[in-house]
Amino acid sequence: MADYELIKEQAAAFAEAENDYVPLLANVSALLYEAIDRLNWAGFYLMDRGSLLLGPFQGKSACIRIQPGKGVCGTAVAEDRTQRVPDVHAFPGHIACDSASRSEIVVPIHSGGRIVGVLDIDSPEEDRFSPEDEEGLKALVGVIEQVADFSRLRA
């Protein structure tokens, strides 16, 4: 299991150097990709004029834009709640950006009382993400929400 306390501390340290969301999320996606085993994608989608636009990530190429309500990421935005999906192929409307992905977890990110993006993590293993992973990632997103400057975002 990943050391989410250490990941949160490292994310906060990145923000001390620069709290602009682009470099912060780039470093956090790299950190997550290295710290959590059995992943094939870790990164962010950011709200841009009403839809999710691909942000900093680690992994294979990805979908560029996702509409709210579409796929796991869009559902997380539409419902404003974390989506932990044990089998993405059984998820209604799943968008297969990478056909190797089997499970996924998506956590909404808020700033200024609105959703500004999502943390999205994929695994090639079915049922990869546990309730502990969900709690750890939600806590990490809480740190990001506190320290990141999303003021330039065109949400």
Side-chain angles (χ1 to χ4, degrees), residues 91-107:
F91 188 88
H94 172 250
I95 302 169
C97 298
D98 178 0
S99 61
S101 291
R102 296 291 304 184
S103 59
E104 185 171 3
I105 187 165
V106 179
V107 182

PDB file of all heavy atoms in Angstrom, residues 91-107:
ATOM      1  N   PHE A  91     -18.618  -0.351 -16.380  1.00  0.00           N
ATOM      2  CA  PHE A  91     -19.124   0.978 -16.046  1.00  0.00           C
ATOM      3  C   PHE A  91     -19.877   1.541 -17.248  1.00  0.00           C
ATOM      4  O   PHE A  91     -19.312   1.655 -18.345  1.00  0.00           O
ATOM      5  CB  PHE A  91     -17.956   1.903 -15.672  1.00  0.00           C
ATOM      6  CG  PHE A  91     -18.372   3.234 -15.129  1.00  0.00           C
ATOM      7  CD1 PHE A  91     -18.608   3.405 -13.770  1.00  0.00           C
ATOM      8  CD2 PHE A  91     -18.533   4.336 -15.968  1.00  0.00           C
ATOM      9  CE1 PHE A  91     -18.988   4.625 -13.254  1.00  0.00           C
ATOM     10  CE2 PHE A  91     -18.916   5.560 -15.470  1.00  0.00           C
ATOM     11  CZ  PHE A  91     -19.146   5.715 -14.109  1.00  0.00           C
ATOM     12  N   PRO A  92     -21.150   1.914 -17.077  1.00  0.00           N
ATOM     13  CA  PRO A  92     -21.924   2.438 -18.208  1.00  0.00           C
ATOM     14  C   PRO A  92     -21.275   3.700 -18.793  1.00  0.00           C
ATOM     15  O   PRO A  92     -20.974   4.647 -18.077  1.00  0.00           O
ATOM     16  CB  PRO A  92     -23.277   2.782 -17.583  1.00  0.00           C
ATOM     17  CG  PRO A  92     -23.338   1.982 -16.322  1.00  0.00           C
ATOM     18  CD  PRO A  92     -21.920   1.843 -15.843  1.00  0.00           C
ATOM     19  N   GLY A  93     -21.023   3.669 -20.092  1.00  0.00           N
ATOM     20  CA  GLY A  93     -20.465   4.834 -20.767  1.00  0.00           C
ATOM     21  C   GLY A  93     -18.978   5.028 -20.573  1.00  0.00           C
ATOM     22  O   GLY A  93     -18.446   6.094 -20.877  1.00  0.00           O
ATOM     23  N   HIS A  94     -18.272   4.008 -20.097  1.00  0.00           N
ATOM     24  CA  HIS A  94     -16.822   4.130 -19.902  1.00  0.00           C
ATOM     25  C   HIS A  94     -16.147   4.563 -21.198  1.00  0.00           C
ATOM     26  O   HIS A  94     -16.478   4.068 -22.282  1.00  0.00           O
ATOM     27  CB  HIS A  94     -16.229   2.792 -19.437  1.00  0.00           C
ATOM     28  CG  HIS A  94     -14.742   2.795 -19.392  1.00  0.00           C
ATOM     29  ND1 HIS A  94     -13.966   2.078 -20.270  1.00  0.00           N
ATOM     30  CD2 HIS A  94     -13.883   3.462 -18.580  1.00  0.00           C
ATOM     31  CE1 HIS A  94     -12.694   2.290 -19.993  1.00  0.00           C
ATOM     32  NE2 HIS A  94     -12.617   3.122 -18.975  1.00  0.00           N
ATOM     33  N   ILE A  95     -15.210   5.491 -21.096  1.00  0.00           N
ATOM     34  CA  ILE A  95     -14.430   5.954 -22.243  1.00  0.00           C
ATOM     35  C   ILE A  95     -13.090   5.229 -22.190  1.00  0.00           C
ATOM     36  O   ILE A  95     -12.311   5.422 -21.256  1.00  0.00           O
ATOM     37  CB  ILE A  95     -14.214   7.480 -22.190  1.00  0.00           C
ATOM     38  CG1 ILE A  95     -15.557   8.207 -22.155  1.00  0.00           C
ATOM     39  CG2 ILE A  95     -13.367   7.938 -23.358  1.00  0.00           C
ATOM     40  CD1 ILE A  95     -15.447   9.689 -21.826  1.00  0.00           C
ATOM     41  N   ALA A  96     -12.807   4.417 -23.177  1.00  0.00           N
ATOM     42  CA  ALA A  96     -11.583   3.614 -23.183  1.00  0.00           C
ATOM     43  C   ALA A  96     -10.436   4.386 -23.823  1.00  0.00           C
ATOM     44  O   ALA A  96     -10.108   4.180 -24.983  1.00  0.00           O
ATOM     45  CB  ALA A  96     -11.821   2.302 -23.902  1.00  0.00           C
ATOM     46  N   CYS A  97      -9.831   5.294 -23.061  1.00  0.00           N
ATOM     47  CA  CYS A  97      -8.657   6.014 -23.562  1.00  0.00           C
ATOM     48  C   CYS A  97      -7.488   5.052 -23.725  1.00  0.00           C
ATOM     49  O   CYS A  97      -6.696   5.181 -24.633  1.00  0.00           O
ATOM     50  CB  CYS A  97      -8.260   7.137 -22.605  1.00  0.00           C
ATOM     51  SG  CYS A  97      -9.531   8.399 -22.412  1.00  0.00           S
ATOM     52  N   ASP A  98      -7.375   4.089 -22.814  1.00  0.00           N
ATOM     53  CA  ASP A  98      -6.348   3.051 -22.870  1.00  0.00           C
ATOM     54  C   ASP A  98      -7.054   1.721 -22.634  1.00  0.00           C
ATOM     55  O   ASP A  98      -7.559   1.472 -21.534  1.00  0.00           O
ATOM     56  CB  ASP A  98      -5.285   3.302 -21.797  1.00  0.00           C
ATOM     57  CG  ASP A  98      -4.207   2.227 -21.765  1.00  0.00           C
ATOM     58  OD1 ASP A  98      -4.269   1.270 -22.571  1.00  0.00           O
ATOM     59  OD2 ASP A  98      -3.301   2.346 -20.931  1.00  0.00           O
ATOM     60  N   SER A  99      -7.079   0.871 -23.630  1.00  0.00           N
ATOM     61  CA  SER A  99      -7.814  -0.393 -23.517  1.00  0.00           C
ATOM     62  C   SER A  99      -7.222  -1.319 -22.460  1.00  0.00           C
ATOM     63  O   SER A  99      -7.880  -2.261 -22.020  1.00  0.00           O
ATOM     64  CB  SER A  99      -7.866  -1.102 -24.868  1.00  0.00           C
ATOM     65  OG  SER A  99      -6.546  -1.409 -25.303  1.00  0.00           O
ATOM     66  N   ALA A 100      -5.991  -1.050 -22.002  1.00  0.00           N
ATOM     67  CA  ALA A 100      -5.374  -1.874 -20.963  1.00  0.00           C
ATOM     68  C   ALA A 100      -5.933  -1.570 -19.573  1.00  0.00           C
ATOM     69  O   ALA A 100      -5.783  -2.370 -18.653  1.00  0.00           O
ATOM     70  CB  ALA A 100      -3.858  -1.679 -20.959  1.00  0.00           C
ATOM     71  N   SER A 101      -6.571  -0.422 -19.397  1.00  0.00           N
ATOM     72  CA  SER A 101      -7.106  -0.065 -18.081  1.00  0.00           C
ATOM     73  C   SER A 101      -8.251  -0.986 -17.709  1.00  0.00           C
ATOM     74  O   SER A 101      -9.137  -1.248 -18.520  1.00  0.00           O
ATOM     75  CB  SER A 101      -7.597   1.385 -18.074  1.00  0.00           C
ATOM     76  OG  SER A 101      -6.498   2.263 -18.166  1.00  0.00           O
ATOM     77  N   ARG A 102      -8.224  -1.451 -16.468  1.00  0.00           N
ATOM     78  CA  ARG A 102      -9.277  -2.339 -15.965  1.00  0.00           C
ATOM     79  C   ARG A 102     -10.024  -1.728 -14.792  1.00  0.00           C
ATOM     80  O   ARG A 102     -11.196  -1.989 -14.601  1.00  0.00           O
ATOM     81  CB  ARG A 102      -8.667  -3.686 -15.544  1.00  0.00           C
ATOM     82  CG  ARG A 102      -8.058  -4.479 -16.663  1.00  0.00           C
ATOM     83  CD  ARG A 102      -9.065  -4.998 -17.598  1.00  0.00           C
ATOM     84  NE  ARG A 102     -10.052  -5.788 -16.856  1.00  0.00           N
ATOM     85  CZ  ARG A 102     -11.037  -6.448 -17.371  1.00  0.00           C
ATOM     86  NH1 ARG A 102     -11.209  -6.454 -18.659  1.00  0.00           N
ATOM     87  NH2 ARG A 102     -11.877  -7.118 -16.623  1.00  0.00           N
ATOM     88  N   SER A 103      -9.310  -0.955 -13.945  1.00  0.00           N
ATOM     89  CA  SER A 103      -9.973  -0.301 -12.814  1.00  0.00           C
ATOM     90  C   SER A 103      -9.515   1.146 -12.755  1.00  0.00           C
ATOM     91  O   SER A 103      -8.481   1.514 -13.328  1.00  0.00           O
ATOM     92  CB  SER A 103      -9.673  -1.027 -11.498  1.00  0.00           C
ATOM     93  OG  SER A 103      -8.296  -1.071 -11.240  1.00  0.00           O
ATOM     94  N   GLU A 104     -10.319   1.956 -12.046  1.00  0.00           N
ATOM     95  CA  GLU A 104     -10.065   3.405 -12.064  1.00  0.00           C
ATOM     96  C   GLU A 104     -10.615   4.025 -10.787  1.00  0.00           C
ATOM     97  O   GLU A 104     -11.605   3.560 -10.230  1.00  0.00           O
ATOM     98  CB  GLU A 104     -10.758   4.007 -13.287  1.00  0.00           C
ATOM     99  CG  GLU A 104     -10.509   5.458 -13.535  1.00  0.00           C
ATOM    100  CD  GLU A 104     -11.052   5.919 -14.894  1.00  0.00           C
ATOM    101  OE1 GLU A 104     -11.685   5.110 -15.622  1.00  0.00           O
ATOM    102  OE2 GLU A 104     -10.846   7.095 -15.215  1.00  0.00           O
ATOM    103  N   ILE A 105      -9.951   5.092 -10.365  1.00  0.00           N
ATOM    104  CA  ILE A 105     -10.462   5.898  -9.266  1.00  0.00           C
ATOM    105  C   ILE A 105     -10.317   7.363  -9.662  1.00  0.00           C
ATOM    106  O   ILE A 105      -9.286   7.761 -10.200  1.00  0.00           O
ATOM    107  CB  ILE A 105      -9.761   5.571  -7.923  1.00  0.00           C
ATOM    108  CG1 ILE A 105     -10.438   6.310  -6.773  1.00  0.00           C
ATOM    109  CG2 ILE A 105      -8.266   5.830  -8.000  1.00  0.00           C
ATOM    110  CD1 ILE A 105     -10.064   5.774  -5.396  1.00  0.00           C
ATOM    111  N   VAL A 106     -11.370   8.134  -9.435  1.00  0.00           N
ATOM    112  CA  VAL A 106     -11.405   9.549  -9.819  1.00  0.00           C
ATOM    113  C   VAL A 106     -11.932  10.355  -8.642  1.00  0.00           C
ATOM    114  O   VAL A 106     -12.997  10.045  -8.104  1.00  0.00           O
ATOM    115  CB  VAL A 106     -12.298   9.778 -11.064  1.00  0.00           C
ATOM    116  CG1 VAL A 106     -12.345  11.251 -11.431  1.00  0.00           C
ATOM    117  CG2 VAL A 106     -11.806   8.948 -12.244  1.00  0.00           C
ATOM    118  N   VAL A 107     -11.180  11.402  -8.263  1.00  0.00           N
ATOM    119  CA  VAL A 107     -11.549  12.241  -7.129  1.00  0.00           C
ATOM    120  C   VAL A 107     -11.722  13.683  -7.609  1.00  0.00           C
ATOM    121  O   VAL A 107     -10.785  14.260  -8.163  1.00  0.00           O
ATOM    122  CB  VAL A 107     -10.460  12.196  -6.022  1.00  0.00           C
ATOM    123  CG1 VAL A 107     -10.870  13.034  -4.823  1.00  0.00           C
ATOM    124  CG2 VAL A 107     -10.161  10.757  -5.611  1.00  0.00           C
TER     125      VAL A 107
END
